[in-house]
Amino acid sequence: MTRINAGSGRPWPLGRVGPSDCKGRRWRGGGMRGGGSANLEVVPKRRHVLTEATAIGGGYCVLATAYIVFSDQALALLTTDPDRLVQYGTYKGVAFVLATAIGLFAVWFMLAGRAAREHERRETALRRLEAIGRALPSPLFVNDPEGGILEWNNALEAVSGYTAAQLAGMTIADLAYPDDLALARRAIERILRTGQPDVADVRLATADGRALLHRWHGAPIREASGAIQGIVVVGVDLTDIRNAQEDLKRSLLRAERILRQTVDTLGLAIEKRGAYTAGHERRVAALALALADELGLPDEERAGLEYAALLHDLGEIAVPADILVRPACLSDSELAIVRTHAEQGYEILREVDFPWPVADIVHQHHERLDGSGYPRGLAGSAIRLEARIIGVADVVEAMCSHRPYRPALGMAAALDELRDGRGVRYDAAVVDACLTVCRGGFEFPVHSY
């Protein structure tokens, strides 16, 4: 009777089941099913065998006793002649021996057939496991609870560069990169403590001194009693994945730099159209970000707000320069042309696939809470929060800066305007955030190109 450990490629005697009996042996098979025990039972349990033996022995005793008793009674009815009784008794004994031999042969034939089927099943399972082990490209090994390497597949030799003779005397401490050894040991301890599979990202220390990052998946191997006798571990190489992730990260950073440079260039093109608006976009963006921080805006929304603030007057490219820099009040028709810049900015940006609603924010930055803004007269929650923030920052920056038609009005006048329009033209929470930020000593940055 034997039990086969899944993947070991060799039977373990029932009298000493466990990986410790197979130390230093190359794993010719491989593979597990499920997340718990890795043992594959190919013979009946001992209790089942004992039950069968009891049934067969008991049945034989009953039949033999019945034969003896009833055959003796039958002979007594047939004759009372002592000589004939001896003769008939001889015949009866020979018949009993023949019947017993036939019965024993039948039982042996049945058991031999079953043993042959079990043997074939075991050999098929071993061939299947060996095929899986040969096909598995990932390193796989079994270690004992103390970390000793017991069995392994060819992939571990290929990846690590160690020979079978070297692996036979190695432990987890030899395979794990020194800086990652504590991670490996904690994973083993968790498996032994919980009896559940576990995962750890640990670098494999190769024979030539390299450190190859793998994600190791471990699961317990149990004895029939349920005690954990070892851990089967399979590794997935993360080196190429991590390299690809690093390449992707660098590409994203480069794309982000290009995007920022493009936005800055567009801002510069806007500001070059008039000396009075130089730096306007950047100063509005600086105040808008300070308000976003005060309001607790998430980082993702904060990034979109910054880009929208830097581009909020992009549509002024479509407004004649003589109107933008005219040192006098504009007529109604000229003012209407200036007000088209929000719509023009939206038209320019709406086909750009930003990860944020930049075009919509630019479109709405002159809308007001009470519906008195332009270009669509939106009101209340129909206006994006980012647009409401930029709207307040835009008003404050404009009033604090010189314009062709008037000198700077100053921060005090700007804050009075916000207080007057709080909850009417301007979002109350945004106004409160602006008052807090300005009382805290906010100053517009000085930008130069």
Side-chain angles (χ1 to χ4, degrees):
M1 294 297 184
T2 61
R3 172 181 296 157
I4 302 302
N5 174 266
S8 68
R10 299 181 184 179
W12 291 345
L14 275 176
R16 49 186 182 93
V17 173
S20 59
D21 300 311
C22 308
K23 185 172 180 62
R25 191 172 61 210
R26 177 184 291 115
W27 187 309
R28 297 187 298 141
M32 290 179 57
R33 302 185 70 178
S37 174
N39 287 335
L40 174 65
E41 294 285 353
V42 297
V43 294
K45 293 184 180 295
R46 288 184 175 182
R47 182 176 298 178
H48 179 67
V49 172
L50 181 61
T51 301
E52 269 196 345
T54 301
I56 293 173
Y60 174 78
C61 289
V62 170
L63 290 176
T65 301
Y67 176 82
I68 293 172
V69 171
F70 288 110
S71 62
D72 286 345
Q73 292 180 353
L75 288 180
L77 294 175
L78 285 176
T79 181
T80 58
D81 184 348
D83 293 334
R84 286 189 176 275
L85 285 175
V86 172
Q87 183 181 7
Y88 290 158
T90 301
Y91 296 155
K92 184 187 71 166
V94 171
F96 179 78
V97 171
L98 291 175
T100 299
I102 293 172
L104 290 175
F105 177 80
V107 171
W108 172 85
F109 187 81
M110 178 187 68
L111 294 178
R114 188 173 68 180
R117 289 191 298 272
E118 292 295 346
H119 178 75
E120 180 59 28
R121 177 187 170 195
R122 183 186 68 181
E123 291 300 317
T124 300
L126 289 177
R127 287 192 296 270
R128 186 184 301 118
L129 293 172
E130 290 173 4
I132 293 172
R134 287 191 299 270
L136 189 66
S138 300
L140 183 149
F141 62 88
V142 170
N143 62 271
D144 60 30
E146 289 73 38
I149 306 301
L150 305 174
E151 301 173 288
W152 58 89
N153 67 351
N154 292 333
L156 181 62
E157 296 180 18
V159 170
S160 69
Y162 292 111
T163 64
Q166 290 172 316
L167 287 170
M170 296 178 70
T171 68
I172 293 294
D174 300 310
L175 283 182
Y177 193 71
D179 292 346
D180 297 349
L181 180 57
L183 291 175
R185 284 176 170 165
R186 283 197 293 270
I188 291 174
E189 291 170 0
R190 286 194 298 270
I191 294 173
L192 295 175
R193 184 179 67 253
T194 67
Q196 297 298 318
D198 209 316
V199 178
D201 291 349
V202 175
R203 286 170 290 179
L204 174 68
T206 65
D208 58 4
R210 292 176 298 152
L212 303 180
L213 182 62
H214 281 67
R215 176 160 293 167
W216 300 98
H217 299 259
I221 302 174
R222 298 181 182 275
E223 297 178 349
S225 64
I228 296 176
Q229 60 183 358
I231 298 173
V232 61
V233 183
V234 62
V236 178
D237 191 349
L238 297 183
T239 306
D240 292 340
I241 296 176
R242 286 294 172 89
N243 290 340
Q245 289 176 337
E246 292 299 322
D247 290 342
L248 177 60
K249 185 183 297 184
R250 285 191 289 268
S251 297
L252 290 175
L253 290 174
R254 182 171 180 271
E256 186 177 337
R257 285 195 299 270
I258 293 173
L259 175 61
R260 184 54 183 263
Q261 292 167 357
T262 302
V263 169
D264 288 342
T265 301
L266 289 173
L268 176 60
I270 300 167
E271 296 179 358
K272 285 295 184 181
R273 302 196 71 209
Y276 282 97
T277 58
H280 171 68
E281 271 72 22
R282 289 176 177 254
R283 290 194 295 271
V284 169
L287 179 54
L289 292 178
L291 300 183
D293 292 340
E294 182 65 26
L295 292 166
L297 208 66
D299 290 342
E300 184 66 20
E301 295 179 22
R302 189 181 185 277
L305 171 68
E306 181 179 15
Y307 281 107
L310 291 171
L311 295 170
H312 74 279
D313 280 340
L314 178 61
E316 288 184 357
I317 290 177
V319 179
D322 64 315
I323 295 179
L324 290 176
V325 299
R326 183 172 299 172
C329 293
L330 302 179
S331 65
D332 290 343
S333 60
E334 291 170 333
L335 186 58
I337 292 174
V338 172
R339 287 184 170 183
T340 63
H341 79 277
E343 188 74 38
Q344 295 290 350
Y346 171 75
E347 292 297 328
I348 294 171
L349 295 171
R350 68 175 181 172
E351 297 301 326
V352 180
D353 190 19
F354 286 105
W356 318 278
V358 172
D360 289 336
I361 298 170
V362 169
H363 200 195
Q364 298 175 8
H365 78 278
H366 274 297
E367 301 287 0
R368 295 295 178 256
L369 207 63
D370 59 359
S372 62
Y374 63 87
R376 294 190 293 167
L378 300 179
S381 60
I383 308 170
R384 287 184 174 274
L385 175 60
E386 297 94 330
R388 285 178 257 164
I389 293 174
I390 293 176
V392 168
D394 191 27
V395 166
V396 173
E397 199 285 331
M399 293 182 69
C400 290
S401 302
H402 295 290
R403 289 294 180 262
Y405 51 87
R406 61 154 176 82
L409 301 176
M411 181 64 77
L415 297 183
D416 285 342
E417 165 64 19
L418 294 186
R419 293 188 187 96
D420 183 61
R422 181 184 184 277
V424 180
R425 295 182 299 280
Y426 313 114
D427 184 286
V430 177
V431 169
D432 293 341
C434 189
L435 295 175
T436 300
V437 167
C438 291
R439 282 196 300 265
F442 173 83
E443 293 182 2
F444 286 108
V446 177
H447 294 282
S448 62
Y449 291 95

